Amino acid sequence: MSLKEQINEDIKLAMKAKDKIRLETVRSIKKFLLEKEIELRGKGKDNLTPEDEIEILVQQAKQRRDSIEQYIQGGRQDLADKEKTELDIIETYLPAQISDSELEEIITNIITKLGANTTKDLGKVMGVAMKELKGKTDGKKIQELVKSKLN
């Protein structure tokens, strides 16, 4: 089942269950998928690739994480909790997240393969790491780990 079909099924299930937050979240994912599809049609592509879909989901998850952080700083735990619930829903569509030890191993392998050893190589390492780990973990985690390894 494609992501688009899964989203449509989940919208129906959320409506039947009267799960307002899930319904809103899944509809917003569908909206962004449709917008991206329309954008790609203008460039001559017919359908979204799985990579395009993951990119949209990662973007939505990142947006929720940023919102959670800001709401907590602003003392709005109620809104942070809502965003956390939405983030959990979005993450169900993303590939399985890797553990910290797996992440460290992958980053170490990339650094070794590229022969990187100073912070000047950060961009090179990040480019490869982000491509390889897209959707599997948070970009901030990757960046922090790469910086710590290159110091």
Side-chain angles (χ1 to χ4, degrees):
M1 182 180 295
S2 74
L3 178 63
K4 210 172 180 181
E5 292 168 339
Q6 181 67 46
I7 295 288
N8 287 331
E9 278 301 308
D10 289 349
I11 287 174
K12 289 177 193 173
L13 292 172
M15 289 171 102
K16 287 179 183 176
K18 296 184 185 345
D19 187 343
K20 187 179 175 185
I21 292 178
R22 179 171 289 279
L23 181 61
E24 288 174 6
T25 305
V26 177
R27 279 184 172 162
S28 78
I29 293 169
K30 182 177 180 176
K31 178 185 118 191
F32 284 105
L33 289 171
L34 289 172
E35 286 175 358
K36 183 71 168 184
E37 204 170 72
I38 291 168
E39 177 187 321
L40 291 177
R41 277 192 208 137
K43 296 177 181 175
K45 281 186 172 180
D46 287 340
N47 293 319
L48 292 174
T49 64
E51 291 80 22
D52 293 331
E53 294 171 344
I54 288 174
E55 184 180 320
I56 290 166
L57 293 170
V58 167
Q59 187 179 32
Q60 291 301 302
K62 182 182 185 313
Q63 184 180 351
R64 295 312 188 289
R65 284 187 196 98
D66 292 344
S67 295
I68 290 168
E69 201 174 291
Q70 289 181 5
Y71 285 139
I72 290 173
Q73 287 175 359
R76 294 296 309 264
Q77 190 60 45
D78 57 327
L79 295 175
D81 291 343
K82 181 180 184 283
E83 292 288 324
K84 174 69 174 122
T85 303
E86 291 177 7
L87 176 61
D88 292 342
I89 293 166
I90 292 168
E91 287 178 340
T92 62
Y93 298 105
L94 284 168
Q97 301 292 296
I98 60 173
S99 69
D100 289 344
S101 59
E102 289 174 303
L103 175 62
E104 189 167 346
E105 184 180 322
I106 292 169
I107 296 296
T108 303
N109 289 340
I110 291 170
I111 290 171
T112 305
K113 186 169 62 175
L114 294 174
N117 50 19
T118 66
T119 52
K120 291 181 181 177
D121 299 319
L122 180 70
K124 221 178 0 177
V125 175
M126 283 300 295
V128 174
M130 291 303 288
K131 191 172 187 179
E132 191 172 320
L133 296 166
K134 187 169 209 124
K136 296 179 182 174
T137 191
D138 183 32
K140 279 185 180 178
K141 274 175 117 175
I142 296 171
Q143 185 179 25
E144 288 169 5
L145 186 57
V146 170
K147 279 183 179 179
S148 71
K149 294 251 184 215
L150 291 178
N151 282 338

